[in-house]
Amino acid sequence: IGGIERNKKFFVPKPSETLLPNDLIYFFAFPSAIVSLRSIVCELNEPLSPIKSCVIFGADSLGVEIAKVLVKKGIEVQIMDKNIELCRKANIELKDKVTVFKTTYDADHINKKNRFDTDMFIAATKNDEYNITKCIEAKQKGIKKIVGINNDIAYSSLMRNLNIEVVRGEKINAYYSILERIESSNIISQKKFCGGEGAVVLRKVFYNSPLIGMKLP
């Protein structure tokens, strides 16, 4: 466990820390270990229904890449966007494997039209306010699995407090990449994680460093 957010406060836990209800927990592990951990957590809680269909709002590069991954997993995917040009490009790149709609997206469609019935909704635009609005609309219509892409660190905590599953987007990845380049050197570098709440400082230890042999605090 790399970090815990409790009562809107983030901290790095000590080994003796006890987990409490409503804690937001950050794990660091290889992808295969995360899959195993997810299975254990699902067994402890109410098992999730398998995802058979997904609606993605946002037809830019991120939405298209997400669609490609889901299609490979055998999930029926529909992409919606208000930009007709992005819809056309997405349709070409996905080679008709995904249904693409030009729409401003009204969550009422999901319940009123069978073609929009879905197990999962992903808001994948580069506008966090828009993503939050669409996730709330989808949540109000009873969609169980809702994911919002977070591009601006200022919205990260708000999205989590609204019980939206948060995934870091392209813009915030670029922000951290630039930040690391500015702050790093061949001696010390800093890595941001947990939605920007935490940081890991990496220091290069040379062969003649007095740090060699010292015990970690």
Side-chain angles (χ1 to χ4, degrees):
I1 298 178
I4 296 175
E5 185 175 315
R6 179 181 297 159
N7 298 324
K8 299 183 180 181
K9 293 183 179 180
F10 176 86
F11 62 95
V12 176
K14 296 180 179 179
S16 58
E17 184 67 45
T18 300
L19 300 180
L20 301 179
N22 300 316
D23 280 352
L24 177 63
I25 306 168
Y26 294 90
F27 291 99
F28 287 92
F30 289 108
S32 58
I34 290 293
V35 171
S36 298
L37 179 62
R38 183 175 57 190
S39 300
I40 295 172
V41 171
C42 287
E43 289 176 2
L44 293 175
N45 294 281
E46 183 179 348
L48 294 174
S49 301
I51 301 298
K52 297 180 180 179
S53 61
C54 177
V55 168
I56 300 172
F57 189 82
D60 59 13
S61 57
L62 181 58
V64 170
E65 290 305 314
I66 293 172
K68 289 178 180 177
V69 173
L70 296 181
V71 167
K72 288 182 180 179
K73 293 180 178 292
I75 297 173
E76 180 185 349
V77 180
Q78 297 151 2
I79 292 182
M80 294 184 286
D81 201 295
K82 60 182 180 180
N83 187 316
I84 187 63
E85 289 303 320
L86 286 178
C87 288
R88 287 172 179 166
K89 291 179 181 178
N91 194 48
I92 293 171
E93 187 166 352
L94 293 168
K95 300 177 181 178
D96 297 325
K97 295 179 180 179
V98 170
T99 305
V100 183
F101 297 96
K102 190 275 180 186
T103 176
T104 54
Y105 176 67
D106 180 350
D108 287 338
H109 291 177
I110 294 176
N111 279 4
K112 291 181 178 179
K113 296 183 180 180
N114 291 333
R115 65 178 183 176
F116 285 120
D117 285 347
T118 186
D119 303 316
M120 182 177 184
F121 176 81
I122 302 174
T125 76
K126 294 181 180 179
N127 184 321
D128 282 21
E129 292 182 6
Y130 210 59
N131 289 345
I132 291 171
T133 299
K134 298 311 171 186
C135 285
I136 292 174
E137 289 179 4
K139 186 182 291 288
Q140 290 174 340
K141 296 305 175 182
I143 300 174
K144 300 299 183 183
K145 184 76 171 178
I146 297 174
V147 178
I149 302 301
N150 173 228
N151 301 286
D152 186 337
I153 188 174
Y155 291 97
S156 178
S157 179
L158 173 61
M159 295 175 79
R160 294 196 299 269
N161 290 337
L162 290 171
N163 292 321
I164 298 171
E165 287 195 38
V166 181
V167 176
R168 183 183 293 180
E170 294 175 321
K171 288 173 66 177
I172 202 168
N173 271 334
Y175 164 80
Y176 285 133
S177 178
I178 293 170
L179 190 65
E180 288 166 7
R181 289 179 181 273
I182 292 173
E183 295 180 348
S184 64
S185 68
N186 64 338
I187 306 296
I188 297 176
S189 64
Q190 179 173 278
K191 303 288 185 181
K192 297 284 185 177
F193 64 98
C194 299
E197 299 284 1
V200 174
V201 178
L202 308 175
R203 177 168 181 173
K204 184 175 182 179
V205 180
F206 293 97
Y207 71 94
N208 58 348
S209 172
L211 293 174
I212 294 177
M214 291 182 62
K215 291 184 178 180
L216 295 175

